[in-house]
Amino acid sequence: MNYRHAYHAGNFADVVKHAVLVRIVEYLKHKDKAFRVIDTHAGIGLYDLTSQEAQKTGEWRDGIGRLVDANVDNETANLLNPLLAAVHAVNQDGSIQHYPGSPCLVRHLLRKQDRLTAIELHPQDAACLKQTFSGDFQTRVIELDGWLALGGHLPPKEKRGLVLIDPPYEKEDEFERIVARLRKAHARWPGGIYAIWYPIKKHETIKAFRDNLAGSGIADTIDIRLELRAPSTEPQLDGTGMIVVNPPFVLHEEMNVLLPVLARILGDSEEGRWGIERLTAE
Ligand code: SAM
């Protein structure tokens, strides 16, 4: 486990991933009934953008750094508001020094009745996360292999909610593993919403991943993508994607509003592209 999210927190991929995450959680809040979010690869929760790691790459400047300074229309602003409010809640004076990772972001959005299970395997990161949520009865932090959580923790007792799967893609076979684990998880809890983040680097790998999902037998799956530029000749992070299983019915429409704006703000010199595709039928 060499991956450290502190180098990448708040970058364009985080911003798009978290924009989708926020829209799903906001949808779950339409009903009073409690829900649970299970974050299988949670990270440390809160990132210091002045840290050596964040400063070394400076990636956040072209992600959340651009978004907070951008002018957007009212409809987009309404959809982005919960994300930006969570970012401002962890910063004091309007400046951006911290960025909330997925567990902090989700926690900011929860109502009294809702719950969060945050799972992290790296011992230091898990300890940090436990510290952040110490005494918070709505959040359970577990030091565990997130893939195991897809077995034992599903379905949650609330029987409503979201599983966020955001692995570091350090292993060659991560894409195949995701489809296999997702099939098992979905068999245990077919009614849950699943959001799976993926990096767009090697375009042929992504095609195989999408084909694999399309043939997985899992119904009602969409693919949300934002690419900063046309495919590079050498593999580099050209874009960011999110597979959503059982997407809220409003998500497609909301992403149709958000993605062109995010592509304009985050894309390289107006080369940003986006797309939403249905991989399997409802
Ligand atoms: N979800 C976080 C967010 O949006 O703020 C970022 C997560 S980061 C991309 C991936 C995290 O997964 C890292 O913190 C890494 O330590 C952790 N990790 C790696 N392998 C894991 C595993 N098998 N189970 C749980 N966590 C794992």
Side-chain angles (χ1 to χ4, degrees), residues 1 3 17-18 40-43 101-102 120-121 144-146 166 168:
M1 276 201 304
Y3 180 87
K17 165 177 68 188
H18 293 154
T40 61
H41 296 72
S102 51
E120 169 59 50
L121 187 58
L144 179 71
D145 184 334
D166 184 16

Side-chain angles (χ1 to χ4, degrees), residues 1-6 8-10 13-14 17-18 21 39-47 99-105 119-123 125-126 142-149 164-171 174 177 197:
M1 276 201 304
N2 294 320
Y3 180 87
R4 315 300 293 141
H5 196 62
H8 311 292
D14 255 10
K17 165 177 68 188
H18 293 154
L21 174 64
D39 189 343
T40 61
H41 296 72
I44 63 169
L46 187 63
Y47 296 89
Y99 184 76
S102 51
C104 283
L105 188 53
I119 293 155
E120 169 59 50
L121 187 58
H122 195 291
D125 290 2
I142 310 173
E143 184 181 330
L144 179 71
D145 184 334
W147 300 115
L148 291 180
L164 173 65
I165 304 174
D166 184 16
Y169 291 86
E170 286 179 308
K171 297 207 168 91
E174 201 76 300
R177 181 152 74 148
W197 180 80

Side-chain angles (χ1 to χ4, degrees), residues 153-261:
H153 288 259
L154 298 186
K157 74 169 191 296
E158 294 79 7
K159 301 273 166 52
R160 279 188 83 220
L162 163 70
V163 182
L164 173 65
I165 304 174
D166 184 16
Y169 291 86
E170 286 179 308
K171 297 207 168 91
E172 274 293 310
D173 64 346
E174 201 76 300
F175 284 99
E176 287 90 0
R177 181 152 74 148
I178 285 173
V179 180
R181 300 295 175 111
L182 182 63
R183 285 180 69 172
K184 282 192 183 157
H186 185 261
R188 289 181 73 98
W189 189 28
I193 302 172
Y194 299 82
I196 303 105
W197 180 80
Y198 69 90
I200 302 180
K201 263 188 194 166
K202 292 186 189 160
H203 292 260
E204 63 284 7
T205 310
I206 302 306
K207 186 184 176 310
F209 178 49
R210 288 158 48 87
D211 289 349
N212 206 352
L213 280 164
S216 66
I218 301 170
D220 200 3
T221 302
I222 62 167
D223 179 23
I224 296 168
R225 280 172 296 119
L226 186 144
E227 293 171 49
L228 298 183
R229 57 186 85 88
S232 308
T233 42
E234 291 300 313
Q236 62 165 322
L237 192 63
D238 282 334
T240 174
M242 194 84 138
I243 302 293
V244 186
V245 179
N246 295 324
F249 75 97
V250 287
L251 190 65
H252 199 125
E253 207 175 299
E254 292 183 347
M255 286 299 131
N256 264 330
V257 174
L258 278 179
L259 289 177
V261 179

Side-chain angles (χ1 to χ4, degrees), residues 5 14 17-18 21-22 25 37-47 86 90 99-110 115-120 125-126 128-130 132-133 136 138-142 162 164 166:
H5 196 62
D14 255 10
K17 165 177 68 188
H18 293 154
L21 174 64
V22 159
V25 175
V37 176
I38 300 176
D39 189 343
T40 61
H41 296 72
I44 63 169
L46 187 63
Y47 296 89
V90 295
Y99 184 76
S102 51
C104 283
L105 188 53
V106 168
R107 181 64 189 91
H108 183 84
L109 301 172
L110 296 187
R115 298 291 181 267
L116 166 65
T117 302
I119 293 155
E120 169 59 50
D125 290 2
C128 190
L129 205 52
K130 279 184 184 161
T132 301
F133 290 108
D136 177 2
Q138 287 181 253
T139 304
R140 188 167 169 219
V141 176
I142 310 173
L162 163 70
L164 173 65
D166 184 16

